Amino acid sequence: MFLSSSNSEYTADGSLIVDLADANGPRLRFGAYEKGMFWEEWRSPGWKYTERDYGVIFANRSHNLRQELPILDYLASIPEPIIEALYGIPHCQATMLKFCAYWSNAADLLLSSRILFWLLADRYARDSSIREEFPWILDLPQRSILKILLSREVAPVEVRFLNKIHLSFGDIYILRDIQKSLAKQGLAKRLAHWKRVPPVLLSAFTQSAPLARLQWINKEVSSRAALLDNHFANDNYKLLTDTVLLLNQSNRNHELILECKNWEDVRILHDRLLHPQARYKLDVDADRMFPQPPVPGSRHFSPIRTVGELVEEGEIMHHCVATRMHSILDGRSYIYKVNAEGERGTIEIRLTPDGGPHYIEQFKLACNMDPSPGTWFSAQQWLMKSRQIYHLNKKSQAPGR
């Protein structure tokens, strides 16, 4: 959520008041950082202390593009290294900041292992049983903290694995992928020779053991240049993940991935698996309905409503959108057909935990071609309007309205 002058206020005592009414949320008051940053929720007739993290984002680079924002006054009292470490991690960000404000060893853990710190904050938010022991947990070595989180013995290679994950953006879905990768026996050991691990590839690593043996990808990921071109890299990583999904759903041997020596080889394998003779088998009835779309369709953007429609879209457009089936059924994303600016495409919208439209995950034309800048702009404008419609609908459905 972008904190503007209309929904936030910086007070003389160093507090920040945030009104979440536009997102169907409460009015919150965050105490000064140097006093522990505890927050309260307005419940008539007064403020009441709460542990609930409402997803307010403090460390957001877009805030720096605006002048005279209340949030900038509030952030001025927070050490810059802490703000830098939390950029790009919206999930549980307020909780992590509160820890750093109250316990100095919390800030030390964030700066030394922010993925482990993030996992610990998520556990704290979901499990009240560890809250009394939390100050004691923060004093433990990283391996011991991970042992508590996983409720099992932990090898040193697993701690090193967490510190290799190069996190530029971390929503709740990325966090769950990290948790699944920790639950995958032997994965951390298979990736022991990797210097960096892109979060977007974690899902593929958990599903395909041979993937860790692709040295040319390891070398590319390890280079600083690969990290600078995020758009190109993420497109390739998503292509690789889609290829792994196609191997799974067509019951093919994952050793095929080892034949790929570059990204063009991956694309060829991906397209070969899309060929009608290699079409994967559905494990869900084609007539099964997807959940209600987060926003209704429009003239240019039409929601895909059934599994059969999703498969048909992939066949018409010659891409692997059907691999998104379980993501839609699980409420992680939604797929829309696009007819805009004279172009026909398919767009995947990542959803928020409460089912609202969040951001564009992928947008492709036929044969995985990229849309024109004009069509991209139209899609972004539609998404912005969709968010507004979603929040207005949520407000109208709220009790007492």
Side-chain angles (χ1 to χ4, degrees), residues 354-385:
D354 68 351
H358 192 16
Y359 61 86
I360 296 174
E361 177 72 24
Q362 290 194 80
F363 184 14
K364 294 294 182 181
L365 306 183
C367 302
N368 281 315
M369 297 294 290
D370 289 328
S372 67
T375 309
W376 251 110
F377 179 76
S378 295
Q380 290 168 331
Q381 292 295 105
W382 166 76
L383 180 61
M384 188 181 304
K385 185 176 180 180

Side-chain angles (χ1 to χ4, degrees), residues 4-250:
S4 66
S5 299
S6 62
N7 62 18
S8 60
E9 174 189 355
Y10 183 70
T11 64
D13 65 354
S15 298
L16 183 73
I17 296 176
V18 177
D19 190 345
L20 300 178
D22 286 346
N24 198 34
R27 188 174 173 83
L28 301 172
R29 181 171 67 184
F30 294 87
Y33 181 83
E34 58 268 24
K35 295 180 181 178
M37 200 186 153
F38 297 104
W39 59 82
E40 302 165 299
E41 179 180 340
W42 176 259
R43 299 177 189 169
S44 185
W47 295 100
K48 303 291 184 182
Y49 172 78
T50 180
E51 291 268 10
R52 181 175 177 183
D53 192 323
Y54 282 94
V56 176
I57 302 173
F58 294 82
N60 186 337
R61 294 192 189 279
S62 62
H63 290 152
N64 300 333
L65 303 177
R66 302 277 295 276
Q67 300 296 319
E68 300 179 359
L69 287 176
I71 182 62
L72 296 180
D73 292 323
Y74 189 79
L75 293 177
S77 64
I78 303 176
E80 185 62 28
I82 292 175
I83 296 297
E84 285 286 339
L86 292 178
Y87 277 136
I89 309 181
H91 178 64
C92 284
Q93 192 182 104
T95 298
M96 290 188 282
L97 271 174
K98 181 176 70 173
F99 293 163
C100 294
Y102 197 70
W103 294 293
S104 60
N105 51 356
D108 293 338
L109 180 60
L110 168 65
L111 297 177
S112 61
S113 182
R114 66 177 185 151
I115 302 292
L116 181 61
F117 187 67
W118 190 27
L119 289 166
L120 188 58
D122 174 73
R123 176 70 174 273
Y124 182 97
R126 294 184 294 106
D127 183 3
S128 60
S129 66
I130 72 164
R131 292 177 184 174
E132 288 186 8
E133 300 178 346
F134 197 77
W136 169 77
I137 292 173
L138 287 171
D139 278 330
L140 296 173
Q142 292 182 17
R143 185 178 174 185
S144 299
I145 294 174
L146 188 56
K147 178 180 176 180
I148 291 172
L149 292 175
L150 300 181
S151 301
R152 62 169 174 80
E153 291 298 324
V154 169
V157 70
E158 293 178 281
V159 178
R160 293 194 293 271
F161 165 69
L162 284 184
N163 293 329
K164 292 177 182 180
I165 297 174
H166 182 82
L167 189 67
S168 58
F169 176 78
D171 62 10
I172 190 171
Y173 302 112
I174 291 292
L175 183 70
R176 299 295 177 250
D177 284 342
I178 293 172
Q179 291 167 332
K180 289 176 184 176
S181 67
L182 288 168
K184 185 70 173 179
Q185 188 175 8
L187 178 59
K189 188 174 182 179
R190 287 199 298 273
L191 292 171
H193 59 292
W194 286 60
K195 292 182 180 179
R196 292 190 182 96
V197 177
V200 72
L201 281 182
L202 286 174
S203 175
F205 281 131
T206 59
Q207 298 178 68
S208 180
L211 197 59
R213 290 150 54 193
L214 287 179
Q215 289 303 314
W216 62 272
I217 296 182
N218 181 8
K219 186 179 294 186
E220 177 181 296
V221 168
S222 299
S223 73
R224 188 68 187 170
L227 299 177
L228 297 177
D229 191 355
N230 286 327
H231 177 73
F232 174 78
N234 283 336
D235 272 358
N236 282 334
Y237 298 157
K238 288 172 183 174
L239 175 71
L240 185 60
T241 301
D242 289 345
T243 304
V244 168
L245 287 171
L246 287 168
L247 286 168
N248 279 343
Q249 295 173 349
S250 59

